């Protein structure tokens, strides 16, 4: 699973991913939880990038 990290213009700055053996990622609840965590973290990073002073 992976999600992009973008800036306010939609340009891709990087990505976050989680990898593992398929037998550990076959659980739907675990897959949903990991996907939600990745999206939450990517949103937080995008906000930090958008509103940081550099």
């Amino acid at each position: 699973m992976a999600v992009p990290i973008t800036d306010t213009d939609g340009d891709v700055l990087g990505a976050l991913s989680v990898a593992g053996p398929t037998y550990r990622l076959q659980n739907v609840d675990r897959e949903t939880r990991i996907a939600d965590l990745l999206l939450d973290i990517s949103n937080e990073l995008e906000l930090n990038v958008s509103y940081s002073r550099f």
Side-chain angles (χ1 to χ4, degrees), residues 29-47:
D29 292 331
R30 183 175 294 151
E31 186 176 329
T32 302
R33 184 167 179 240
I34 292 170
D36 288 343
L37 286 170
L38 281 173
L39 289 170
D40 289 345
I41 293 166
S42 70
N43 287 336
E44 186 172 337
L45 285 171
E46 289 172 352
L47 287 172

Side-chain angles (χ1 to χ4, degrees), residues 1 20-32 34:
M1 283 183 243
T22 55
Y23 71 89
R24 289 190 181 201
L25 299 175
Q26 288 177 343
N27 181 309
V28 174
D29 292 331
R30 183 175 294 151
E31 186 176 329
T32 302
I34 292 170

